[in-house]
Amino acid sequence: MSRDIDYTFKILMLGSASTGKSSLSDRYVHGIFSEDIKLTVGVEFFVKTIHYKDKFVKLQIWDLGGESKFRFLLPTYCLGSSGAIFLFDLTRPETLHELDSWIGIVREKNSQIPIFLVGNKKDLTDIRKVPEDHGIQTAIQNNLTEYIETSAKSGENVEFIFQSLTEHMLKKIERLKLH
Ligand code: GDP
Ligand code: MG
């Protein structure tokens, strides 16, 4: 059975290399996790259509490779996006260092889109280095929409971040329609 799509949303997966952007997208779209996932070269796309409230929403997930030689593509890659997820690795505090510059570029192109700060690899409790409180404070300081912790490995909160982001994107578009 096919049905018309009410909305298509472009979601950006941002963050340093090896934070789990591809793993999280794969877990969400295909329900799988692989320890030996391939390094993303350039951009990869994941698509999933979901039924949310009474709407059919197509999520187009843009997963940018972490290689710095592709960084120049970021402003172009941001065009037309409806939401973004900035992923960092809870075991590597340095993966938060690039947050400012990535967010700056995203806001320049789409100042109002919801951006989530997501701390991934929550399952690695023994080697975790970033406390939850630091994540929350960082999200507040950078004016981000939500702070959520996930594990692409266990699946914890994976469905939730995309559902919640969809809710924010829908609210924004429905608000615009009222004006
Ligand atoms: P990307 O470069 O941001 O796309 O990161 P990848 O998805 O390629 O993941 C980098 C490495 O981290 C891979 O070896 C993954 O298996 C691993 N990884 C990703 N997410 C998790 C997670 O939630 N928990 C654990 N333990 N490992 C993860
Ligand atoms: Mg990747």
Side-chain angles (χ1 to χ4, degrees):
M1 191 190 77
S2 72
R3 186 198 185 277
D4 289 343
I5 301 289
D6 295 293
Y7 298 110
T8 298
F9 291 135
K10 174 177 174 182
I11 299 173
L12 307 173
M13 297 298 289
L14 308 171
S16 309
S18 294
T19 51
K21 298 177 297 297
S22 305
S23 301
L24 205 72
S25 308
D26 225 17
R27 162 65 85 180
Y28 178 61
V29 173
H30 303 122
I32 51 168
F33 176 79
S34 154
E35 294 280 357
D36 49 27
I37 191 158
K38 289 200 302 290
L39 183 77
T40 310
V41 177
V43 189
E44 275 184 318
F45 301 93
F46 295 84
V47 177
K48 181 159 171 156
T49 300
I50 59 170
H51 189 203
Y52 189 81
K53 304 258 165 89
D54 58 340
K55 300 279 187 279
F56 279 86
V57 179
K58 187 188 233 176
L59 304 180
Q60 227 180 52
I61 303 167
W62 290 48
D63 171 23
L64 189 73
E67 291 167 287
S68 50
K69 70 174 174 185
F70 290 112
R71 215 44 76 72
F72 75 97
L73 285 170
L74 188 60
T76 313
Y77 166 72
C78 290
L79 291 172
S81 57
S82 303
I85 291 173
F86 182 92
L87 206 65
F88 72 97
D89 182 342
L90 290 165
T91 71
R92 290 184 295 141
E94 67 274 18
T95 56
L96 269 174
H97 294 172
E98 285 188 301
L99 179 70
D100 285 16
S101 62
W102 289 83
I103 299 302
I105 296 170
V106 176
R107 293 267 187 238
E108 215 170 90
K109 296 285 171 194
N110 312 270
S111 57
Q112 302 297 322
I113 65 168
I115 304 177
F116 282 16
L117 179 62
V118 173
N120 188 41
K121 308 196 185 178
K122 190 174 175 14
D123 58 287
L124 298 175
T125 43
D126 295 350
I127 54 167
R128 173 185 176 134
K129 297 211 178 56
V130 181
E132 185 181 22
D133 212 43
H134 183 64
I136 296 170
Q137 289 309 319
T138 306
I140 294 171
Q141 280 158 15
N142 288 279
N143 226 349
L144 304 183
T145 316
E146 299 269 4
Y147 174 70
I148 300 166
E149 296 182 352
T150 57
S151 167
K153 187 169 184 174
S154 76
E156 186 176 353
N157 280 340
V158 175
E159 193 84 22
F160 177 71
I161 52 170
F162 289 98
Q163 288 273 341
S164 176
L165 188 60
T166 300
E167 193 172 336
H168 281 280
M169 294 185 298
L170 275 174
K171 269 196 197 133
K172 200 188 142 210
I173 212 159
E174 307 257 289
R175 254 200 324 269
L176 286 173
K177 273 185 13 194
L178 293 175
H179 294 299

